[in-house]
mmCIF file of all heavy atoms in Angstrom:
data_model
loop_
_atom_site.group_PDB
_atom_site.id
_atom_site.type_symbol
_atom_site.label_atom_id
_atom_site.label_comp_id
_atom_site.label_asym_id
_atom_site.label_seq_id
_atom_site.Cartn_x
_atom_site.Cartn_y
_atom_site.Cartn_z
ATOM 1 N N SER A 32 42.271 -16.244 20.682
ATOM 2 C CA SER A 32 42.881 -17.094 21.686
ATOM 3 C C SER A 32 42.325 -18.502 21.571
ATOM 4 O O SER A 32 41.192 -18.704 21.115
ATOM 5 C CB SER A 32 42.653 -16.560 23.100
ATOM 6 O OG SER A 32 41.279 -16.558 23.411
ATOM 7 N N ALA A 33 43.139 -19.487 21.962
ATOM 8 C CA ALA A 33 42.733 -20.888 21.881
ATOM 9 C C ALA A 33 43.571 -21.687 22.856
ATOM 10 O O ALA A 33 44.695 -21.280 23.219
ATOM 11 C CB ALA A 33 42.890 -21.408 20.450
ATOM 12 N N PRO A 34 43.092 -22.851 23.298
ATOM 13 C CA PRO A 34 43.848 -23.662 24.254
ATOM 14 C C PRO A 34 45.063 -24.337 23.607
ATOM 15 O O PRO A 34 45.060 -24.644 22.423
ATOM 16 C CB PRO A 34 42.813 -24.702 24.714
ATOM 17 C CG PRO A 34 41.826 -24.784 23.606
ATOM 18 C CD PRO A 34 41.755 -23.406 23.015
ATOM 19 N N VAL A 35 46.092 -24.530 24.418
ATOM 20 C CA VAL A 35 47.281 -25.258 24.008
ATOM 21 C C VAL A 35 47.555 -26.306 25.084
ATOM 22 O O VAL A 35 47.715 -25.967 26.274
ATOM 23 C CB VAL A 35 48.497 -24.340 23.848
ATOM 24 C CG1 VAL A 35 49.760 -25.172 23.588
ATOM 25 C CG2 VAL A 35 48.274 -23.343 22.734
ATOM 26 N N GLY A 36 47.584 -27.563 24.684
ATOM 27 C CA GLY A 36 47.808 -28.617 25.669
ATOM 28 C C GLY A 36 46.649 -28.714 26.640
ATOM 29 O O GLY A 36 45.500 -28.431 26.301
ATOM 30 N N GLU A 37 46.947 -29.084 27.854
ATOM 31 C CA GLU A 37 45.894 -29.318 28.852
ATOM 32 C C GLU A 37 45.554 -28.074 29.648
ATOM 33 O O GLU A 37 44.419 -27.942 30.136
ATOM 34 C CB GLU A 37 46.310 -30.444 29.805
ATOM 35 C CG GLU A 37 46.450 -31.807 29.119
ATOM 36 C CD GLU A 37 46.765 -32.907 30.119
ATOM 37 O OE1 GLU A 37 46.863 -32.605 31.324
ATOM 38 O OE2 GLU A 37 46.889 -34.072 29.698
ATOM 39 N N VAL A 38 46.502 -27.159 29.801
ATOM 40 C CA VAL A 38 46.231 -26.009 30.673
ATOM 41 C C VAL A 38 46.612 -24.665 30.072
ATOM 42 O O VAL A 38 46.152 -23.625 30.538
ATOM 43 C CB VAL A 38 46.967 -26.169 32.039
ATOM 44 C CG1 VAL A 38 46.432 -27.368 32.792
ATOM 45 C CG2 VAL A 38 48.477 -26.286 31.836
ATOM 46 N N ASP A 39 47.464 -24.656 29.070
ATOM 47 C CA ASP A 39 47.945 -23.385 28.504
ATOM 48 C C ASP A 39 47.030 -22.892 27.390
ATOM 49 O O ASP A 39 46.095 -23.565 26.966
ATOM 50 C CB ASP A 39 49.363 -23.566 27.977
ATOM 51 C CG ASP A 39 50.382 -23.800 29.084
ATOM 52 O OD1 ASP A 39 50.132 -23.284 30.198
ATOM 53 O OD2 ASP A 39 51.387 -24.499 28.847
ATOM 54 N N PHE A 40 47.332 -21.695 26.906
ATOM 55 C CA PHE A 40 46.590 -21.146 25.782
ATOM 56 C C PHE A 40 47.521 -20.274 24.952
ATOM 57 O O PHE A 40 48.554 -19.800 25.445
ATOM 58 C CB PHE A 40 45.385 -20.336 26.242
ATOM 59 C CG PHE A 40 45.741 -19.044 26.940
ATOM 60 C CD1 PHE A 40 45.815 -17.847 26.232
ATOM 61 C CD2 PHE A 40 46.021 -19.037 28.295
ATOM 62 C CE1 PHE A 40 46.146 -16.669 26.877
ATOM 63 C CE2 PHE A 40 46.351 -17.845 28.944
ATOM 64 C CZ PHE A 40 46.408 -16.659 28.227
ATOM 65 N N SER A 41 47.175 -20.083 23.712
ATOM 66 C CA SER A 41 47.941 -19.189 22.828
ATOM 67 C C SER A 41 47.074 -17.984 22.467
ATOM 68 O O SER A 41 45.854 -18.060 22.467
ATOM 69 C CB SER A 41 48.358 -19.935 21.541
ATOM 70 O OG SER A 41 47.209 -20.319 20.806
ATOM 71 N N ASN A 42 47.733 -16.884 22.158
ATOM 72 C CA ASN A 42 47.038 -15.663 21.848
ATOM 73 C C ASN A 42 47.647 -15.035 20.600
ATOM 74 O O ASN A 42 48.862 -14.800 20.553
ATOM 75 C CB ASN A 42 47.113 -14.672 23.012
ATOM 76 C CG ASN A 42 46.471 -13.337 22.679
ATOM 77 O OD1 ASN A 42 45.469 -13.294 21.988
ATOM 78 N ND2 ASN A 42 47.052 -12.250 23.165
ATOM 79 N N VAL A 43 46.832 -14.820 19.579
ATOM 80 C CA VAL A 43 47.307 -14.167 18.354
ATOM 81 C C VAL A 43 46.694 -12.780 18.221
ATOM 82 O O VAL A 43 46.648 -12.213 17.137
ATOM 83 C CB VAL A 43 46.976 -15.015 17.104
ATOM 84 C CG1 VAL A 43 47.742 -16.340 17.142
ATOM 85 C CG2 VAL A 43 45.482 -15.262 16.999
ATOM 86 N N GLY A 44 46.200 -12.252 19.350
ATOM 87 C CA GLY A 44 45.616 -10.923 19.341
ATOM 88 C C GLY A 44 46.595 -9.868 19.807
ATOM 89 O O GLY A 44 47.578 -10.152 20.483
ATOM 90 N N VAL A 45 46.300 -8.618 19.417
ATOM 91 C CA VAL A 45 47.174 -7.495 19.739
ATOM 92 C C VAL A 45 46.324 -6.312 20.208
ATOM 93 O O VAL A 45 45.324 -5.985 19.552
ATOM 94 C CB VAL A 45 48.012 -7.066 18.513
ATOM 95 C CG1 VAL A 45 48.858 -5.839 18.839
ATOM 96 C CG2 VAL A 45 48.885 -8.197 18.037
ATOM 97 N N GLY A 46 46.731 -5.712 21.299
ATOM 98 C CA GLY A 46 46.145 -4.443 21.699
ATOM 99 C C GLY A 46 46.863 -3.349 20.940
ATOM 100 O O GLY A 46 47.916 -2.853 21.366
ATOM 101 N N ALA A 47 46.341 -2.983 19.770
ATOM 102 C CA ALA A 47 47.022 -2.058 18.859
ATOM 103 C C ALA A 47 46.691 -0.606 19.184
ATOM 104 O O ALA A 47 45.596 -0.287 19.670
ATOM 105 C CB ALA A 47 46.641 -2.375 17.417
ATOM 106 N N HIS A 48 47.650 0.265 18.884
ATOM 107 C CA HIS A 48 47.441 1.696 19.080
ATOM 108 C C HIS A 48 46.663 2.268 17.907
ATOM 109 O O HIS A 48 47.008 2.024 16.744
ATOM 110 C CB HIS A 48 48.787 2.415 19.183
ATOM 111 C CG HIS A 48 49.456 2.280 20.516
ATOM 112 N ND1 HIS A 48 50.080 1.108 20.895
ATOM 113 C CD2 HIS A 48 49.564 3.139 21.560
ATOM 114 C CE1 HIS A 48 50.585 1.265 22.120
ATOM 115 N NE2 HIS A 48 50.284 2.499 22.546
ATOM 116 N N ILE A 49 45.621 3.033 18.202
ATOM 117 C CA ILE A 49 44.929 3.782 17.150
ATOM 118 C C ILE A 49 45.825 4.927 16.696
ATOM 119 O O ILE A 49 46.083 5.094 15.500
ATOM 120 C CB ILE A 49 43.569 4.291 17.660
ATOM 121 C CG1 ILE A 49 42.653 3.111 18.003
ATOM 122 C CG2 ILE A 49 42.907 5.209 16.623
ATOM 123 C CD1 ILE A 49 41.321 3.496 18.608
ATOM 124 N N HIS A 50 46.302 5.723 17.633
ATOM 125 C CA HIS A 50 47.354 6.710 17.374
ATOM 126 C C HIS A 50 48.653 6.148 17.936
ATOM 127 O O HIS A 50 48.695 5.669 19.081
ATOM 128 C CB HIS A 50 47.019 8.050 18.034
ATOM 129 C CG HIS A 50 45.784 8.709 17.489
ATOM 130 N ND1 HIS A 50 45.752 9.282 16.239
ATOM 131 C CD2 HIS A 50 44.534 8.862 18.027
ATOM 132 C CE1 HIS A 50 44.544 9.793 16.028
ATOM 133 N NE2 HIS A 50 43.790 9.542 17.091
ATOM 134 N N ALA A 51 49.702 6.179 17.149
ATOM 135 C CA ALA A 51 50.947 5.489 17.482
ATOM 136 C C ALA A 51 51.484 5.819 18.882
ATOM 137 O O ALA A 51 51.243 6.905 19.413
ATOM 138 C CB ALA A 51 52.003 5.797 16.434
ATOM 139 N N ALA A 52 52.243 4.864 19.413
ATOM 140 C CA ALA A 52 52.785 5.003 20.763
ATOM 141 C C ALA A 52 53.983 5.949 20.820
ATOM 142 O O ALA A 52 54.351 6.411 21.900
ATOM 143 C CB ALA A 52 53.190 3.634 21.298
ATOM 144 N N SER A 53 54.573 6.270 19.673
ATOM 145 C CA SER A 53 55.760 7.135 19.653
ATOM 146 C C SER A 53 55.834 7.874 18.319
ATOM 147 O O SER A 53 55.205 7.452 17.340
ATOM 148 C CB SER A 53 57.031 6.308 19.865
ATOM 149 O OG SER A 53 57.151 5.305 18.881
ATOM 150 N N PRO A 54 56.559 8.980 18.261
ATOM 151 C CA PRO A 54 56.656 9.761 17.020
ATOM 152 C C PRO A 54 57.164 8.917 15.854
ATOM 153 O O PRO A 54 58.000 8.032 16.026
ATOM 154 C CB PRO A 54 57.657 10.868 17.383
ATOM 155 C CG PRO A 54 57.577 10.989 18.874
ATOM 156 C CD PRO A 54 57.317 9.599 19.372
ATOM 157 N N GLY A 55 56.607 9.212 14.666
ATOM 158 C CA GLY A 55 57.011 8.483 13.485
ATOM 159 C C GLY A 55 56.168 7.262 13.220
ATOM 160 O O GLY A 55 56.228 6.680 12.120
ATOM 161 N N GLY A 56 55.366 6.857 14.198
ATOM 162 C CA GLY A 56 54.497 5.694 14.025
ATOM 163 C C GLY A 56 53.229 6.049 13.274
ATOM 164 O O GLY A 56 52.906 7.223 13.098
ATOM 165 N N PRO A 57 52.489 5.045 12.841
ATOM 166 C CA PRO A 57 51.254 5.278 12.080
ATOM 167 C C PRO A 57 50.214 6.020 12.905
ATOM 168 O O PRO A 57 49.962 5.673 14.053
ATOM 169 C CB PRO A 57 50.786 3.879 11.704
ATOM 170 C CG PRO A 57 51.457 2.967 12.675
ATOM 171 C CD PRO A 57 52.757 3.597 13.024
ATOM 172 N N ARG A 58 49.679 7.065 12.306
ATOM 173 C CA ARG A 58 48.599 7.875 12.891
ATOM 174 C C ARG A 58 49.026 8.562 14.197
ATOM 175 O O ARG A 58 48.192 8.841 15.060
ATOM 176 C CB ARG A 58 47.332 7.006 13.154
ATOM 177 C CG ARG A 58 46.696 6.423 11.900
ATOM 178 C CD ARG A 58 45.605 5.424 12.246
ATOM 179 N NE ARG A 58 46.145 4.303 13.002
ATOM 180 C CZ ARG A 58 46.731 3.229 12.472
ATOM 181 N NH1 ARG A 58 46.842 3.132 11.155
ATOM 182 N NH2 ARG A 58 47.223 2.264 13.235
ATOM 183 N N TYR A 59 50.312 8.836 14.349
ATOM 184 C CA TYR A 59 50.791 9.491 15.568
ATOM 185 C C TYR A 59 50.155 10.867 15.685
ATOM 186 O O TYR A 59 50.047 11.624 14.721
ATOM 187 C CB TYR A 59 52.314 9.612 15.555
ATOM 188 C CG TYR A 59 52.861 10.312 16.784
ATOM 189 C CD1 TYR A 59 52.955 9.618 17.989
ATOM 190 C CD2 TYR A 59 53.262 11.640 16.744
ATOM 191 C CE1 TYR A 59 53.438 10.229 19.131
ATOM 192 C CE2 TYR A 59 53.757 12.268 17.874
ATOM 193 C CZ TYR A 59 53.850 11.572 19.071
ATOM 194 O OH TYR A 59 54.336 12.183 20.207
ATOM 195 N N LEU A 60 49.740 11.202 16.909
ATOM 196 C CA LEU A 60 49.099 12.479 17.170
ATOM 197 C C LEU A 60 49.861 13.193 18.280
ATOM 198 O O LEU A 60 49.764 12.824 19.448
ATOM 199 C CB LEU A 60 47.633 12.260 17.562
ATOM 200 C CG LEU A 60 46.745 13.513 17.678
ATOM 201 C CD1 LEU A 60 46.655 14.236 16.353
ATOM 202 C CD2 LEU A 60 45.362 13.115 18.155
ATOM 203 N N ALA A 61 50.637 14.193 17.895
ATOM 204 C CA ALA A 61 51.506 14.867 18.851
ATOM 205 C C ALA A 61 50.737 15.567 19.955
ATOM 206 O O ALA A 61 51.249 15.740 21.070
ATOM 207 C CB ALA A 61 52.401 15.861 18.105
ATOM 208 N N ALA A 62 49.510 15.998 19.664
ATOM 209 C CA ALA A 62 48.735 16.745 20.657
ATOM 210 C C ALA A 62 48.238 15.862 21.800
ATOM 211 O O ALA A 62 47.814 16.379 22.829
ATOM 212 C CB ALA A 62 47.540 17.405 19.974
ATOM 213 N N MET A 63 48.308 14.557 21.644
ATOM 214 C CA MET A 63 47.835 13.666 22.722
ATOM 215 C C MET A 63 48.816 13.653 23.883
ATOM 216 O O MET A 63 50.027 13.747 23.705
ATOM 217 C CB MET A 63 47.677 12.223 22.195
ATOM 218 C CG MET A 63 46.561 12.028 21.223
ATOM 219 S SD MET A 63 46.393 10.255 20.758
ATOM 220 C CE MET A 63 45.724 9.583 22.286
ATOM 221 N N THR A 64 48.285 13.529 25.086
ATOM 222 C CA THR A 64 49.142 13.351 26.252
ATOM 223 C C THR A 64 49.585 11.899 26.322
ATOM 224 O O THR A 64 48.956 10.998 25.722
ATOM 225 C CB THR A 64 48.402 13.716 27.537
ATOM 226 O OG1 THR A 64 47.303 12.789 27.723
ATOM 227 C CG2 THR A 64 47.848 15.135 27.469
ATOM 228 N N ALA A 65 50.646 11.640 27.081
ATOM 229 C CA ALA A 65 51.120 10.266 27.236
ATOM 230 C C ALA A 65 50.052 9.406 27.896
ATOM 231 O O ALA A 65 49.875 8.226 27.553
ATOM 232 C CB ALA A 65 52.408 10.246 28.069
ATOM 233 N N GLU A 66 49.295 9.987 28.818
ATOM 234 C CA GLU A 66 48.240 9.248 29.482
ATOM 235 C C GLU A 66 47.153 8.813 28.514
ATOM 236 O O GLU A 66 46.674 7.686 28.548
ATOM 237 C CB GLU A 66 47.649 10.080 30.610
ATOM 238 C CG GLU A 66 46.572 9.375 31.414
ATOM 239 C CD GLU A 66 46.038 10.239 32.555
ATOM 240 O OE1 GLU A 66 46.539 11.369 32.731
ATOM 241 O OE2 GLU A 66 45.113 9.772 33.247
ATOM 242 N N ASP A 67 46.752 9.749 27.614
ATOM 243 C CA ASP A 67 45.734 9.427 26.626
ATOM 244 C C ASP A 67 46.254 8.415 25.607
ATOM 245 O O ASP A 67 45.517 7.545 25.140
ATOM 246 C CB ASP A 67 45.263 10.678 25.906
ATOM 247 C CG ASP A 67 44.428 11.575 26.801
ATOM 248 O OD1 ASP A 67 43.875 11.082 27.786
ATOM 249 O OD2 ASP A 67 44.329 12.785 26.495
ATOM 250 N N ARG A 68 47.539 8.545 25.281
ATOM 251 C CA ARG A 68 48.109 7.675 24.256
ATOM 252 C C ARG A 68 48.143 6.211 24.718
ATOM 253 O O ARG A 68 48.027 5.306 23.910
ATOM 254 C CB ARG A 68 49.530 8.170 23.900
ATOM 255 C CG ARG A 68 50.054 7.637 22.585
ATOM 256 C CD ARG A 68 51.356 8.325 22.194
ATOM 257 N NE ARG A 68 51.098 9.704 21.753
ATOM 258 C CZ ARG A 68 51.580 10.777 22.346
ATOM 259 N NH1 ARG A 68 52.344 10.664 23.440
ATOM 260 N NH2 ARG A 68 51.294 11.986 21.894
ATOM 261 N N ARG A 69 48.307 5.993 26.005
ATOM 262 C CA ARG A 69 48.319 4.617 26.504
ATOM 263 C C ARG A 69 47.006 4.262 27.227
ATOM 264 O O ARG A 69 46.907 3.240 27.899
ATOM 265 C CB ARG A 69 49.495 4.392 27.449
ATOM 266 C CG ARG A 69 49.560 5.318 28.656
ATOM 267 C CD ARG A 69 50.682 4.914 29.600
ATOM 268 N NE ARG A 69 50.855 5.875 30.691
ATOM 269 C CZ ARG A 69 51.783 6.827 30.724
ATOM 270 N NH1 ARG A 69 52.646 6.917 29.718
ATOM 271 N NH2 ARG A 69 51.871 7.664 31.732
ATOM 272 N N GLY A 70 46.006 5.121 27.077
ATOM 273 C CA GLY A 70 44.721 4.892 27.732
ATOM 274 C C GLY A 70 43.792 4.013 26.899
ATOM 275 O O GLY A 70 44.053 3.718 25.712
ATOM 276 N N PHE A 71 42.686 3.609 27.496
ATOM 277 C CA PHE A 71 41.765 2.684 26.830
ATOM 278 C C PHE A 71 41.161 3.281 25.564
ATOM 279 O O PHE A 71 40.863 2.552 24.608
ATOM 280 C CB PHE A 71 40.649 2.272 27.795
ATOM 281 C CG PHE A 71 39.663 1.337 27.171
ATOM 282 C CD1 PHE A 71 39.999 -0.008 26.977
ATOM 283 C CD2 PHE A 71 38.415 1.778 26.763
ATOM 284 C CE1 PHE A 71 39.093 -0.885 26.387
ATOM 285 C CE2 PHE A 71 37.513 0.913 26.166
ATOM 286 C CZ PHE A 71 37.848 -0.414 25.987
ATOM 287 N N GLY A 72 40.981 4.572 25.520
ATOM 288 C CA GLY A 72 40.408 5.197 24.337
ATOM 289 C C GLY A 72 41.257 5.096 23.100
ATOM 290 O O GLY A 72 40.779 5.327 21.986
ATOM 291 N N ASN A 73 42.538 4.732 23.252
ATOM 292 C CA ASN A 73 43.467 4.672 22.127
ATOM 293 C C ASN A 73 43.810 3.236 21.742
ATOM 294 O O ASN A 73 44.696 3.026 20.891
ATOM 295 C CB ASN A 73 44.762 5.447 22.452
ATOM 296 C CG ASN A 73 45.604 5.716 21.234
ATOM 297 O OD1 ASN A 73 45.077 6.037 20.171
ATOM 298 N ND2 ASN A 73 46.908 5.602 21.373
ATOM 299 N N ILE A 74 43.152 2.259 22.313
ATOM 300 C CA ILE A 74 43.474 0.862 22.019
ATOM 301 C C ILE A 74 42.360 0.208 21.204
ATOM 302 O O ILE A 74 41.185 0.524 21.391
ATOM 303 C CB ILE A 74 43.720 0.059 23.315
ATOM 304 C CG1 ILE A 74 44.300 -1.322 22.995
ATOM 305 C CG2 ILE A 74 42.456 -0.076 24.135
ATOM 306 C CD1 ILE A 74 44.722 -2.108 24.228
ATOM 307 N N ILE A 75 42.735 -0.659 20.280
ATOM 308 C CA ILE A 75 41.793 -1.461 19.538
ATOM 309 C C ILE A 75 42.339 -2.889 19.485
ATOM 310 O O ILE A 75 43.523 -3.099 19.230
ATOM 311 C CB ILE A 75 41.546 -0.910 18.111
ATOM 312 C CG1 ILE A 75 40.543 -1.795 17.373
ATOM 313 C CG2 ILE A 75 42.833 -0.766 17.329
ATOM 314 C CD1 ILE A 75 40.066 -1.226 16.038
#
Side-chain angles (χ1 to χ4, degrees):
S32 64
V35 174
E37 295 184 0
V38 296
D39 292 330
F40 69 93
S41 63
N42 176 36
V43 295
V45 177
H48 282 76
I49 296 176
H50 296 288
S53 58
R58 297 171 299 276
Y59 180 77
L60 188 61
M63 291 184 71
T64 65
E66 182 178 357
D67 289 339
R68 198 171 288 118
R69 57 174 174 260
F71 180 75
N73 194 39
I74 190 173
I75 180 172

